[in-house]
Amino acid sequence: MLKLVQVKEGVKLADYDLYAPLASPLRELYTESTTLIPKIKGKKIWMINSTQHGGGVAEMMPRMISLFRQLGVDCDWLVATTERKGFFSFTKKIHNLIHSEGIPEIAKEEKELYEIVNKENAEVLKSFVKPGDVVIIHDPQPLAIGYFLKEDNIPVHLIWRCHIGHDKHTDQTRAAWNFLKPYAQVYSYSVFSATEYIPGFLTGKARIIHPSIDPLDHKNRDLPIYKTVGILCNSKLLTEYQPVLTPTFPDTVKRLQSDGTFQSALLPSDMGLLFKPAIIQISRWDRLKGFLELMKGFVYMKQNKNRLKISERDLRQTELCQLVLAGPDPEYVEDDPEGMEVINELKNEFLALPRELQASIAILKLPMKSRKHNELIVNVLQRVATLIVQNSIREGFGLTVTEAMWKIKAVIGTATCGIHEQLRDGIDGLLIKDPKNIEEVAVKLHYALAYPKERDVWQYNAQKRVIEQFLIFTQIRKWLSVISEINSKITTQYLHNLKSTSSS
Ligand code: UDP
């Protein structure tokens, strides 16, 4: 059922001012909000999505809400969930169809279930909203809430924020969009992450806003070395050779073992994260994130190290390097039933490998009970990586890429629409054309490892690009602009009505 999430203030706007790289995007935010905020004065903004934990949307929500509030905009976060069995499996199916995966058929019972859940949540929402409020619904799961509000003539402004999309039309995407069309059409505006994602019937009413990161949140803030080491020890990713500042986290990282169980990440031995080059991918456990193909590519690179070798040093690096695949412990992610299946597929592939290869691959379940601890773990893993990969087969946007670029890391992404919006091939990193092509994955991994000077160029370009385009300040500016458009639309409508009344 729909529930209100309490959002803490967190980092203050003034805190960002201390950081030189943030000066320019902050200045733009202040300048634009001076004009835009008076236009939306008095309106309450409701952000609604379907999970409080896991995934890019849930990650971004508290920071956006806090910054809106600090700028003087009244904003709250509601999570629309349900106990009804099958709902999230169905919405996952829609998610996959939008990404052109799965069987393009939707049963009558699925539609009924989808509508029942959304109608129930719409009923609860009525007790929160008042006339004139702006309701921003995220992604397809709660989309039909807007439809039911409209059906009951609840006088709120509706915006649909769709974080996913695919740049090709297929039977699958058509099935998904035909299903979503009646619900999406009632919204005043929709917002997508790339122009290619906008379905034809929403053209004209759609806007583009790129997702973004908060440079000072626990996942992205800079960490001195002793804190990085401390967090690795606290989460049991590193043996505590010396006393560290903070106590061990109540929930620590779990690592896949050779017997198929998940145990301490220090077993069978310390991974040596501070000693060896690490290739790291952190994502939700979703087939479309390409974990399995990345693991196969890594194994291929190791098995062909002599053929790929360009120098003795490079050979040593390929021998030493390890692969870390990490994602949220699926137990805690409400709207992603596929997680366990993906872990099992990876497990089967891992168990079939020889022991020496198993020793160079760490499959990690990251604890999710504490958002802060989870974010700090993601932060330190990204910071100790030599290479960060996002081998997505499809990708809405890929905030993990933004996070890595911000941290001045060499990134290999895939040529999916979401990732190439951010990462220009050969300029800010490398792009894999076909993430299912194991040899290509292997060759690109090896290339990025073998040429440190190129990595340097990519990673500094990457951070610059994030500062210019993908920080939270840019996103807030764009939201303010879309919300204020609603206002001017109302004014135009009002003037239009006035004119027709006076001329009749
Ligand atoms: N993430 C996290 N903890 C994890 C795994 C992932 O906080 O254990 C975060 C990751 O850092 C990123 C987000 O989840 O911020 C994933 O967003 P992305 O846009 O990459 O993909 P999505 O999950 O939205 O498809």
Side-chain angles (χ1 to χ4, degrees), residues 395-464:
E395 189 57 79
F397 187 70
L399 275 175
T400 47
V401 171
T402 332
E403 289 155 13
M405 290 167 75
W406 164 246
K407 296 187 179 84
I408 320 184
K409 287 290 162 184
V411 185
I412 301 189
T414 52
T416 48
C417 192
I419 297 180
H420 78 59
E421 287 272 311
Q422 307 179 56
L423 198 153
R424 295 161 299 177
D425 194 22
I427 300 175
D428 315 296
L430 270 190
L431 289 179
I432 293 171
K433 284 202 186 69
D434 177 5
K436 290 186 177 174
N437 179 339
I438 306 308
E439 190 174 353
E440 186 193 353
V441 174
V443 168
K444 298 246 158 104
L445 292 180
H446 179 258
Y447 184 91
L449 279 181
Y451 294 99
K453 284 207 176 114
E454 290 198 35
R455 286 208 306 269
D456 270 355
V457 175
W458 301 335
Q459 58 200 22
Y460 284 103
N461 283 341
Q463 194 194 41
K464 210 161 142 233

Side-chain angles (χ1 to χ4, degrees), residues 54-57 59 95 219 282-284 289 326-329 366 368 374-375 378 382 390 395 397-401 403:
V57 182
E59 297 307 318
H95 174 105
K219 202 183 302 175
I282 306 173
S283 276
R284 280 179 303 105
K289 299 290 180 187
D329 192 332
L366 308 186
M368 294 290 286
N374 179 274
E375 291 194 1
V378 171
Q382 288 172 334
Q390 190 58 56
E395 189 57 79
F397 187 70
L399 275 175
T400 47
V401 171
E403 289 155 13

Side-chain angles (χ1 to χ4, degrees), residues 62-133:
R63 299 307 313 135
M64 275 184 48
I65 300 212
S66 165
L67 286 185
F68 269 133
R69 287 179 184 166
Q70 291 183 48
L71 288 166
V73 179
D74 187 5
C75 186
D76 257 308
W77 178 14
L78 295 166
V79 169
T81 182
T82 183
E83 299 285 299
R84 286 187 189 269
K85 274 210 162 65
F87 177 78
F88 287 122
S89 314
F90 171 63
T91 55
K92 182 73 204 195
K93 172 173 158 180
I94 292 292
H95 174 105
N96 287 342
L97 286 175
I98 291 181
H99 284 127
S100 191
E101 294 282 319
I103 301 163
E105 281 158 23
I106 291 161
K108 205 169 113 253
E109 302 73 49
E110 290 176 317
K111 183 179 163 83
E112 276 165 12
L113 175 64
Y114 179 74
E115 292 201 344
I116 289 171
V117 170
N118 275 288
K119 208 172 167 76
E120 285 169 347
N121 281 318
E123 277 309 311
V124 185
L125 180 59
K126 284 183 198 167
S127 61
F128 285 98
V129 294
K130 55 181 192 334
D133 283 357

Side-chain angles (χ1 to χ4, degrees), residues 33 35-45 68 72-74 132 134 479-488:
S33 36
T35 322
L36 297 176
I37 288 181
K39 290 191 186 171
I40 61 173
K41 211 101 219 121
K43 288 202 183 307
K44 167 129 194 169
I45 319 288
F68 269 133
V73 179
D74 187 5
V134 178
W479 268 118
L480 290 175
S481 155
V482 173
I483 297 165
S484 62
E485 267 188 68
I486 285 188
N487 226 23
S488 48

